[in-house]
Amino acid sequence: MPYQAPTGTADLLPEQAWRWDAIQRQAASVFSRYGYQLIDTPIFEQLDVFVRGIGEATDVVGKEMYLAFSQHAVEAIAAGQAPKAKDTLALRPEQTAGVARAVVQHNLVPPGGAAIKLWYAGSMFRHERPQKGRLREFHQIGTECLGAAEPSADAEVILMLMDFFEGLGIPRASMRLLVNSMGDDACRPAYRQVVREFILAHADGLCPECVRRADSNPLRAFDCKNPDCQAVLAAAPLITDSLCPQCAEHYATVRQLLTEAGCDFEQAPRLVRGLDYYTRTVFEVQVTDGLGSQNAIGGGGRYDKLLAEFGGKPTPGLGFAVGFERICLALDAAGVAAPVLPLPEVFVAAVDTQARAAAFALAGQLRSAGLRAELDHQNRSLKSQLKAADKSGASWVAILGPDELAAGQLTLRHLASHEEQRTTTQQAIELIRGER
Ligand code: AMP
């Protein structure tokens, strides 16, 4: 095989592509009930958008970005010229930064205006070590709500996420909803300092990566998968003990609203989202079987400082992203079948060469009537066409030969019952529709 899809990518063959489409349709249906509208932003942005929006100290920006240069920019670099910032592009590793950039650019949340609710779906790119449920090109669906500071917005987003997952068929009992508050500018800096000191004081028992993070991004140490680090960090001070009164109250209201809505959750005081922009509420949904270590199927939180990073007015925001590939693993583990590909309803067969043009025209009429119609383009014999009809999954075959053409009719055969009848095109359309 001369060429293979790049490492860490996967072709979405029709069955998988159809599942991706079905999940997006489910997202559109659930999210619209909560007032969300679809947005699409470019697959690449200026690198700075991600550096600002995600943070230089994150793995995503520091280690996992795919840069994208035009041929023109490459030639300039080769000639020793530094590329301009606007020519230094990167493939998006997530879409929140792009959406935030678009919201500021188009002034979608004017001061004093209503909150805006947006959702997106598409490919994201991160240069990670590929494994089950972790790819370099993967697909996310996400939502962003901008302009709403109240804790009811946080609770609503979390309930919508659970609604979405349950609607897909992931059993509620196999999902764990983890929530935490990461504080804000008033209380997080002091907590970061406390964790930094804790890491430095326990450096002997921690991996070099965690120690390195002490200065750049100490809270990320909680994400370390190394069991020795986890054991040491289990004794670290908790953010929930350091929240300022405003953050504590906000978090308490989110929990109260979730409880009142009958939504089970666990408080996870060591849950920190990897991206720098989160403030206050963070959450993650994990599934308890089928995914191994990559068990997070979605997560998100509040990011009240992000829009200001892009030159907008300070505007509260919150959202989540869910990963399509991991949702598929969770659905497979739950025994939820992938949606069946749309099969042809009727196969048009020509008895001889003379009838081919009429068969072609008939397929056109059936399609115009809204039916899924298929026909042979490989000059096969009638026998082979009938075999192909059977294989295609169609329920009906419309047969055209000299007799039918002379009578201005067709023979409609029902494949399951083998019953046959002579009909007009209109009668055939009604019969086929009747069986849907
Ligand atoms: P994040 O953008 O890192 O908060 O991730 C949100 C969700 O995207 C995760 O819960 C996963 O379901 C999915 N995800 C993140 N990174 C990957 C990846 N490399 N491969 C597949 N899915 C991913």
Tab-separated table of all heavy atoms in Angstrom, residues 333-386:
chain	number	residue	atom	x	y	z
A	333	ALA	N	-19.415	0.170	24.003
A	333	ALA	CA	-19.379	-0.543	25.292
A	333	ALA	C	-20.792	-0.727	25.841
A	333	ALA	O	-21.083	-1.721	26.507
A	333	ALA	CB	-18.509	0.220	26.290
A	334	ALA	N	-21.672	0.242	25.552
A	334	ALA	CA	-23.047	0.149	26.058
A	334	ALA	C	-23.929	-0.681	25.125
A	334	ALA	O	-25.123	-0.837	25.371
A	334	ALA	CB	-23.633	1.555	26.218
A	335	GLY	N	-23.336	-1.192	24.038
A	335	GLY	CA	-24.102	-2.036	23.111
A	335	GLY	C	-25.073	-1.248	22.246
A	335	GLY	O	-26.037	-1.812	21.732
A	336	VAL	N	-24.810	0.053	22.071
A	336	VAL	CA	-25.696	0.849	21.203
A	336	VAL	C	-25.193	0.712	19.763
A	336	VAL	O	-24.043	1.041	19.467
A	336	VAL	CB	-25.677	2.344	21.613
A	336	VAL	CG1	-26.563	3.166	20.689
A	336	VAL	CG2	-26.106	2.487	23.062
A	337	ALA	N	-26.057	0.198	18.895
A	337	ALA	CA	-25.642	-0.043	17.512
A	337	ALA	C	-25.477	1.280	16.767
A	337	ALA	O	-26.184	2.253	17.050
A	337	ALA	CB	-26.684	-0.904	16.807
A	338	ALA	N	-24.536	1.285	15.832
A	338	ALA	CA	-24.372	2.473	14.976
A	338	ALA	C	-25.610	2.596	14.091
A	338	ALA	O	-26.215	1.585	13.733
A	338	ALA	CB	-23.122	2.313	14.131
A	339	PRO	N	-26.012	3.822	13.738
A	339	PRO	CA	-27.194	3.966	12.891
A	339	PRO	C	-26.974	3.297	11.535
A	339	PRO	O	-25.862	3.303	11.014
A	339	PRO	CB	-27.352	5.490	12.738
A	339	PRO	CG	-26.028	6.061	13.097
A	339	PRO	CD	-25.368	5.107	14.045
A	340	VAL	N	-28.038	2.712	11.022
A	340	VAL	CA	-27.935	1.996	9.752
A	340	VAL	C	-27.784	3.001	8.614
A	340	VAL	O	-28.479	4.014	8.571
A	340	VAL	CB	-29.213	1.155	9.540
A	340	VAL	CG1	-29.139	0.387	8.236
A	340	VAL	CG2	-29.419	0.220	10.718
A	341	LEU	N	-26.869	2.715	7.708
A	341	LEU	CA	-26.681	3.605	6.554
A	341	LEU	C	-27.968	3.646	5.734
A	341	LEU	O	-28.653	2.623	5.618
A	341	LEU	CB	-25.566	3.060	5.666
A	341	LEU	CG	-24.147	3.265	6.164
A	341	LEU	CD1	-23.174	2.447	5.322
A	341	LEU	CD2	-23.782	4.736	6.074
A	342	PRO	N	-28.303	4.781	5.156
A	342	PRO	CA	-29.521	4.826	4.334
A	342	PRO	C	-29.341	3.963	3.085
A	342	PRO	O	-28.429	4.198	2.300
A	342	PRO	CB	-29.660	6.310	3.976
A	342	PRO	CG	-28.348	6.936	4.286
A	342	PRO	CD	-27.593	6.061	5.219
A	343	LEU	N	-30.175	2.949	2.948
A	343	LEU	CA	-30.063	2.026	1.813
A	343	LEU	C	-31.036	2.468	0.724
A	343	LEU	O	-32.015	3.156	1.006
A	343	LEU	CB	-30.439	0.617	2.276
A	343	LEU	CG	-29.582	0.062	3.413
A	343	LEU	CD1	-30.160	-1.237	3.931
A	343	LEU	CD2	-28.154	-0.141	2.929
A	344	PRO	N	-30.779	2.032	-0.530
A	344	PRO	CA	-31.761	2.359	-1.561
A	344	PRO	C	-33.099	1.701	-1.237
A	344	PRO	O	-33.139	0.615	-0.652
A	344	PRO	CB	-31.162	1.779	-2.844
A	344	PRO	CG	-29.981	0.996	-2.464
A	344	PRO	CD	-29.627	1.289	-1.051
A	345	GLU	N	-34.178	2.366	-1.592
A	345	GLU	CA	-35.503	1.762	-1.379
A	345	GLU	C	-35.915	0.945	-2.591
A	345	GLU	O	-36.633	-0.037	-2.469
A	345	GLU	CB	-36.541	2.866	-1.142
A	345	GLU	CG	-36.332	3.586	0.184
A	345	GLU	CD	-37.171	4.832	0.292
A	345	GLU	OE1	-36.802	5.845	-0.341
A	345	GLU	OE2	-38.179	4.794	1.005
A	346	VAL	N	-35.463	1.403	-3.761
A	346	VAL	CA	-35.877	0.733	-4.989
A	346	VAL	C	-34.695	0.675	-5.950
A	346	VAL	O	-33.928	1.625	-6.062
A	346	VAL	CB	-37.113	1.433	-5.625
A	346	VAL	CG1	-36.931	2.926	-5.731
A	346	VAL	CG2	-37.468	0.840	-6.986
A	347	PHE	N	-34.554	-0.480	-6.587
A	347	PHE	CA	-33.505	-0.663	-7.586
A	347	PHE	C	-34.183	-0.762	-8.940
A	347	PHE	O	-35.125	-1.532	-9.104
A	347	PHE	CB	-32.738	-1.953	-7.273
A	347	PHE	CG	-31.420	-2.060	-7.980
A	347	PHE	CD1	-30.233	-1.792	-7.307
A	347	PHE	CD2	-31.365	-2.418	-9.324
A	347	PHE	CE1	-29.007	-1.889	-7.962
A	347	PHE	CE2	-30.142	-2.501	-9.985
A	347	PHE	CZ	-28.959	-2.245	-9.300
A	348	VAL	N	-33.734	0.037	-9.893
A	348	VAL	CA	-34.354	0.018	-11.225
A	348	VAL	C	-33.516	-0.886	-12.125
A	348	VAL	O	-32.308	-0.664	-12.277
A	348	VAL	CB	-34.438	1.445	-11.809
A	348	VAL	CG1	-35.125	1.403	-13.163
A	348	VAL	CG2	-35.179	2.377	-10.860
A	349	ALA	N	-34.148	-1.908	-12.680
A	349	ALA	CA	-33.420	-2.860	-13.522
A	349	ALA	C	-33.939	-2.783	-14.959
A	349	ALA	O	-35.142	-2.658	-15.188
A	349	ALA	CB	-33.608	-4.272	-12.974
A	350	ALA	N	-33.002	-2.869	-15.912
A	350	ALA	CA	-33.368	-2.840	-17.333
A	350	ALA	C	-33.217	-4.248	-17.899
A	350	ALA	O	-32.177	-4.885	-17.704
A	350	ALA	CB	-32.470	-1.862	-18.089
A	351	VAL	N	-34.265	-4.723	-18.626
A	351	VAL	CA	-34.239	-6.077	-19.166
A	351	VAL	C	-33.212	-6.202	-20.293
A	351	VAL	O	-32.518	-7.194	-20.409
A	351	VAL	CB	-35.653	-6.472	-19.666
A	351	VAL	CG1	-35.631	-7.785	-20.448
A	351	VAL	CG2	-36.626	-6.550	-18.505
A	352	ASP	N	-33.105	-5.161	-21.114
A	352	ASP	CA	-32.148	-5.194	-22.237
A	352	ASP	C	-31.587	-3.788	-22.468
A	352	ASP	O	-31.980	-2.827	-21.799
A	352	ASP	CB	-32.820	-5.747	-23.497
A	352	ASP	CG	-34.093	-4.975	-23.824
A	352	ASP	OD1	-34.212	-3.802	-23.382
A	352	ASP	OD2	-34.976	-5.521	-24.505
A	353	THR	N	-30.671	-3.718	-23.416
A	353	THR	CA	-29.981	-2.449	-23.669
A	353	THR	C	-30.955	-1.344	-24.046
A	353	THR	O	-30.786	-0.191	-23.653
A	353	THR	CB	-28.945	-2.643	-24.807
A	353	THR	OG1	-28.279	-3.876	-24.567
A	353	THR	CG2	-27.941	-1.525	-24.856
A	354	GLN	N	-32.004	-1.729	-24.810
A	354	GLN	CA	-32.973	-0.716	-25.255
A	354	GLN	C	-33.682	-0.055	-24.074
A	354	GLN	O	-34.111	1.086	-24.169
A	354	GLN	CB	-34.038	-1.325	-26.185
A	354	GLN	CG	-33.553	-1.677	-27.588
A	354	GLN	CD	-32.631	-2.899	-27.565
A	354	GLN	OE1	-32.831	-3.823	-26.782
A	354	GLN	NE2	-31.597	-2.870	-28.396
A	355	ALA	N	-33.828	-0.790	-22.981
A	355	ALA	CA	-34.596	-0.248	-21.842
A	355	ALA	C	-33.729	0.602	-20.901
A	355	ALA	O	-34.219	1.204	-19.948
A	355	ALA	CB	-35.234	-1.403	-21.064
A	356	ARG	N	-32.424	0.650	-21.184
A	356	ARG	CA	-31.517	1.334	-20.222
A	356	ARG	C	-31.823	2.821	-20.079
A	356	ARG	O	-31.815	3.356	-18.972
A	356	ARG	CB	-30.055	1.129	-20.631
A	356	ARG	CG	-29.608	-0.278	-20.336
A	356	ARG	CD	-28.115	-0.438	-20.286
A	356	ARG	NE	-27.843	-1.661	-19.551
A	356	ARG	CZ	-27.443	-1.712	-18.286
A	356	ARG	NH1	-27.211	-0.620	-17.620
A	356	ARG	NH2	-27.274	-2.875	-17.683
A	357	ALA	N	-32.086	3.467	-21.223
A	357	ALA	CA	-32.351	4.914	-21.152
A	357	ALA	C	-33.630	5.170	-20.359
A	357	ALA	O	-33.703	6.096	-19.538
A	357	ALA	CB	-32.462	5.509	-22.551
A	358	ALA	N	-34.636	4.309	-20.552
A	358	ALA	CA	-35.901	4.471	-19.821
A	358	ALA	C	-35.676	4.202	-18.329
A	358	ALA	O	-36.256	4.878	-17.466
A	358	ALA	CB	-36.955	3.523	-20.383
A	359	ALA	N	-34.798	3.225	-18.014
A	359	ALA	CA	-34.504	2.920	-16.607
A	359	ALA	C	-33.821	4.123	-15.944
A	359	ALA	O	-34.128	4.494	-14.801
A	359	ALA	CB	-33.606	1.684	-16.517
A	360	PHE	N	-32.919	4.728	-16.713
A	360	PHE	CA	-32.221	5.914	-16.191
A	360	PHE	C	-33.227	7.025	-15.878
A	360	PHE	O	-33.190	7.647	-14.813
A	360	PHE	CB	-31.194	6.378	-17.231
A	360	PHE	CG	-30.333	7.510	-16.782
A	360	PHE	CD1	-29.219	7.286	-15.997
A	360	PHE	CD2	-30.650	8.819	-17.146
A	360	PHE	CE1	-28.422	8.344	-15.573
A	360	PHE	CE2	-29.868	9.883	-16.723
A	360	PHE	CZ	-28.752	9.639	-15.932
A	361	ALA	N	-34.163	7.226	-16.831
A	361	ALA	CA	-35.174	8.282	-16.642
A	361	ALA	C	-36.088	7.943	-15.463
A	361	ALA	O	-36.445	8.824	-14.659
A	361	ALA	CB	-35.995	8.449	-17.919
A	362	LEU	N	-36.439	6.658	-15.327
A	362	LEU	CA	-37.328	6.251	-14.225
A	362	LEU	C	-36.650	6.501	-12.867
A	362	LEU	O	-37.281	7.020	-11.937
A	362	LEU	CB	-37.706	4.771	-14.373
A	362	LEU	CG	-38.544	4.196	-13.233
A	362	LEU	CD1	-39.873	4.949	-13.081
A	362	LEU	CD2	-38.815	2.691	-13.455
A	363	ALA	N	-35.363	6.159	-12.781
A	363	ALA	CA	-34.651	6.402	-11.511
A	363	ALA	C	-34.725	7.889	-11.168
A	363	ALA	O	-34.939	8.276	-10.013
A	363	ALA	CB	-33.200	5.935	-11.621
A	364	GLY	N	-34.576	8.736	-12.177
A	364	GLY	CA	-34.670	10.183	-11.970
A	364	GLY	C	-36.030	10.586	-11.428
A	364	GLY	O	-36.125	11.382	-10.484
A	365	GLN	N	-37.098	9.998	-12.005
A	365	GLN	CA	-38.464	10.343	-11.541
A	365	GLN	C	-38.675	9.897	-10.105
A	365	GLN	O	-39.290	10.604	-9.300
A	365	GLN	CB	-39.503	9.646	-12.429
A	365	GLN	CG	-39.718	10.322	-13.766
A	365	GLN	CD	-40.664	9.472	-14.611
A	365	GLN	OE1	-40.325	8.341	-14.964
A	365	GLN	NE2	-41.834	10.007	-14.892
A	366	LEU	N	-38.177	8.693	-9.790
A	366	LEU	CA	-38.361	8.172	-8.423
A	366	LEU	C	-37.623	9.057	-7.423
A	366	LEU	O	-38.116	9.359	-6.336
A	366	LEU	CB	-37.853	6.725	-8.333
A	366	LEU	CG	-38.602	5.712	-9.217
A	366	LEU	CD1	-37.899	4.360	-9.208
A	366	LEU	CD2	-40.053	5.554	-8.755
A	367	ARG	N	-36.421	9.489	-7.805
A	367	ARG	CA	-35.649	10.379	-6.903
A	367	ARG	C	-36.360	11.720	-6.743
A	367	ARG	O	-36.395	12.273	-5.641
A	367	ARG	CB	-34.234	10.576	-7.450
A	367	ARG	CG	-33.386	9.331	-7.332
A	367	ARG	CD	-32.106	9.445	-8.126
A	367	ARG	NE	-31.358	8.193	-8.077
A	367	ARG	CZ	-30.491	7.801	-9.016
A	367	ARG	NH1	-30.269	8.567	-10.069
A	367	ARG	NH2	-29.848	6.669	-8.893
A	368	SER	N	-36.917	12.223	-7.840
A	368	SER	CA	-37.635	13.502	-7.731
A	368	SER	C	-38.816	13.374	-6.784
A	368	SER	O	-39.225	14.361	-6.155
A	368	SER	CB	-38.150	13.966	-9.094
A	368	SER	OG	-37.073	14.126	-9.958
A	369	ALA	N	-39.365	12.151	-6.699
A	369	ALA	CA	-40.496	11.927	-5.792
A	369	ALA	C	-40.001	11.697	-4.355
A	369	ALA	O	-40.786	11.378	-3.470
A	369	ALA	CB	-41.308	10.729	-6.263
A	370	GLY	N	-38.690	11.810	-4.139
A	370	GLY	CA	-38.154	11.715	-2.775
A	370	GLY	C	-37.729	10.316	-2.377
A	370	GLY	O	-37.383	10.072	-1.220
A	371	LEU	N	-37.721	9.378	-3.334
A	371	LEU	CA	-37.328	8.002	-2.997
A	371	LEU	C	-35.828	7.815	-3.228
A	371	LEU	O	-35.242	8.481	-4.083
A	371	LEU	CB	-38.105	7.010	-3.867
A	371	LEU	CG	-39.632	7.050	-3.727
A	371	LEU	CD1	-40.270	6.063	-4.694
A	371	LEU	CD2	-40.049	6.725	-2.295
A	372	ARG	N	-35.247	6.890	-2.479
A	372	ARG	CA	-33.845	6.547	-2.697
A	372	ARG	C	-33.806	5.448	-3.764
A	372	ARG	O	-34.216	4.313	-3.493
A	372	ARG	CB	-33.193	6.072	-1.402
A	372	ARG	CG	-33.120	7.161	-0.328
A	372	ARG	CD	-32.235	6.734	0.836
A	372	ARG	NE	-32.749	5.548	1.493
A	372	ARG	CZ	-33.700	5.544	2.428
A	372	ARG	NH1	-34.236	6.692	2.830
A	372	ARG	NH2	-34.108	4.420	2.974
A	373	ALA	N	-33.369	5.816	-4.962
A	373	ALA	CA	-33.406	4.877	-6.086
A	373	ALA	C	-31.995	4.643	-6.603
A	373	ALA	O	-31.181	5.556	-6.655
A	373	ALA	CB	-34.286	5.446	-7.189
A	374	GLU	N	-31.721	3.391	-6.979
A	374	GLU	CA	-30.392	3.018	-7.467
A	374	GLU	C	-30.558	2.272	-8.780
A	374	GLU	O	-31.629	1.700	-9.040
A	374	GLU	CB	-29.721	2.151	-6.385
A	374	GLU	CG	-28.298	1.755	-6.647
A	374	GLU	CD	-27.369	2.926	-6.898
A	374	GLU	OE1	-27.533	3.630	-7.919
A	374	GLU	OE2	-26.474	3.130	-6.078
A	375	LEU	N	-29.535	2.298	-9.628
A	375	LEU	CA	-29.589	1.483	-10.838
A	375	LEU	C	-28.182	1.091	-11.258
A	375	LEU	O	-27.203	1.587	-10.692
A	375	LEU	CB	-30.345	2.196	-11.968
A	375	LEU	CG	-29.660	3.264	-12.808
A	375	LEU	CD1	-30.456	3.500	-14.080
A	375	LEU	CD2	-29.577	4.560	-12.031
A	376	ASP	N	-28.123	0.184	-12.215
A	376	ASP	CA	-26.829	-0.375	-12.626
A	376	ASP	C	-26.106	0.563	-13.584
A	376	ASP	O	-26.722	1.110	-14.504
A	376	ASP	CB	-27.096	-1.725	-13.320
A	376	ASP	CG	-25.859	-2.253	-13.998
A	376	ASP	OD1	-24.847	-2.447	-13.298
A	376	ASP	OD2	-25.883	-2.435	-15.233
A	377	HIS	N	-24.814	0.746	-13.360
A	377	HIS	CA	-23.988	1.531	-14.301
A	377	HIS	C	-22.839	0.681	-14.820
A	377	HIS	O	-21.814	1.211	-15.213
A	377	HIS	CB	-23.427	2.773	-13.598
A	377	HIS	CG	-24.472	3.768	-13.184
A	377	HIS	ND1	-25.268	4.441	-14.085
A	377	HIS	CD2	-24.874	4.188	-11.965
A	377	HIS	CE1	-26.092	5.246	-13.436
A	377	HIS	NE2	-25.884	5.092	-12.142
A	378	GLN	N	-22.991	-0.654	-14.714
A	378	GLN	CA	-21.875	-1.515	-15.129
A	378	GLN	C	-22.283	-2.470	-16.245
A	378	GLN	O	-21.632	-3.486	-16.445
A	378	GLN	CB	-21.357	-2.280	-13.907
A	378	GLN	CG	-20.746	-1.341	-12.880
A	378	GLN	CD	-20.453	-2.060	-11.580
A	378	GLN	OE1	-21.334	-2.695	-10.995
A	378	GLN	NE2	-19.221	-1.972	-11.135
A	379	ASN	N	-23.351	-2.095	-16.928
A	379	ASN	CA	-23.824	-2.878	-18.080
A	379	ASN	C	-24.023	-4.352	-17.741
A	379	ASN	O	-23.620	-5.239	-18.489
A	379	ASN	CB	-22.848	-2.701	-19.255
A	379	ASN	CG	-23.516	-3.079	-20.562
A	379	ASN	OD1	-24.758	-3.047	-20.665
A	379	ASN	ND2	-22.742	-3.478	-21.554
A	380	ARG	N	-24.594	-4.599	-16.579
A	380	ARG	CA	-24.772	-5.990	-16.154
A	380	ARG	C	-26.039	-6.589	-16.759
A	380	ARG	O	-26.985	-5.873	-17.102
A	380	ARG	CB	-24.885	-6.046	-14.635
A	380	ARG	CG	-23.560	-5.746	-13.974
A	380	ARG	CD	-23.603	-6.166	-12.548
A	380	ARG	NE	-23.493	-5.005	-11.691
A	380	ARG	CZ	-23.045	-5.073	-10.461
A	380	ARG	NH1	-22.705	-6.221	-9.939
A	380	ARG	NH2	-22.972	-3.996	-9.735
A	381	SER	N	-26.059	-7.918	-16.825
A	381	SER	CA	-27.248	-8.635	-17.315
A	381	SER	C	-28.394	-8.432	-16.331
A	381	SER	O	-28.166	-8.028	-15.185
A	381	SER	CB	-26.941	-10.124	-17.412
A	381	SER	OG	-26.741	-10.622	-16.093
A	382	LEU	N	-29.610	-8.771	-16.784
A	382	LEU	CA	-30.766	-8.611	-15.889
A	382	LEU	C	-30.560	-9.435	-14.616
A	382	LEU	O	-30.822	-8.966	-13.505
A	382	LEU	CB	-32.052	-9.042	-16.597
A	382	LEU	CG	-33.302	-8.969	-15.724
A	382	LEU	CD1	-33.593	-7.524	-15.289
A	382	LEU	CD2	-34.522	-9.554	-16.436
A	383	LYS	N	-30.051	-10.655	-14.793
A	383	LYS	CA	-29.854	-11.546	-13.641
A	383	LYS	C	-28.904	-10.878	-12.620
A	383	LYS	O	-29.171	-10.873	-11.422
A	383	LYS	CB	-29.265	-12.870	-14.137
A	383	LYS	CG	-29.420	-13.984	-13.162
A	383	LYS	CD	-29.074	-15.315	-13.811
A	383	LYS	CE	-28.668	-16.250	-12.703
A	383	LYS	NZ	-27.691	-17.221	-13.099
A	384	SER	N	-27.812	-10.332	-13.147
A	384	SER	CA	-26.851	-9.679	-12.247
A	384	SER	C	-27.446	-8.434	-11.607
A	384	SER	O	-27.158	-8.114	-10.456
A	384	SER	CB	-25.587	-9.275	-12.996
A	384	SER	OG	-25.015	-10.389	-13.579
A	385	GLN	N	-28.278	-7.721	-12.377
A	385	GLN	CA	-28.918	-6.523	-11.795
A	385	GLN	C	-29.826	-6.923	-10.636
A	385	GLN	O	-29.877	-6.249	-9.606
A	385	GLN	CB	-29.749	-5.779	-12.845
A	385	GLN	CG	-28.919	-5.084	-13.915
A	385	GLN	CD	-29.827	-4.439	-14.947
A	385	GLN	OE1	-30.637	-3.577	-14.631
A	385	GLN	NE2	-29.697	-4.868	-16.196
A	386	LEU	N	-30.529	-8.060	-10.817
A	386	LEU	CA	-31.438	-8.490	-9.741
A	386	LEU	C	-30.642	-8.925	-8.505
A	386	LEU	O	-31.043	-8.667	-7.372
A	386	LEU	CB	-32.364	-9.611	-10.231
A	386	LEU	CG	-33.335	-9.167	-11.344
A	386	LEU	CD1	-34.171	-10.327	-11.850
A	386	LEU	CD2	-34.253	-8.028	-10.863
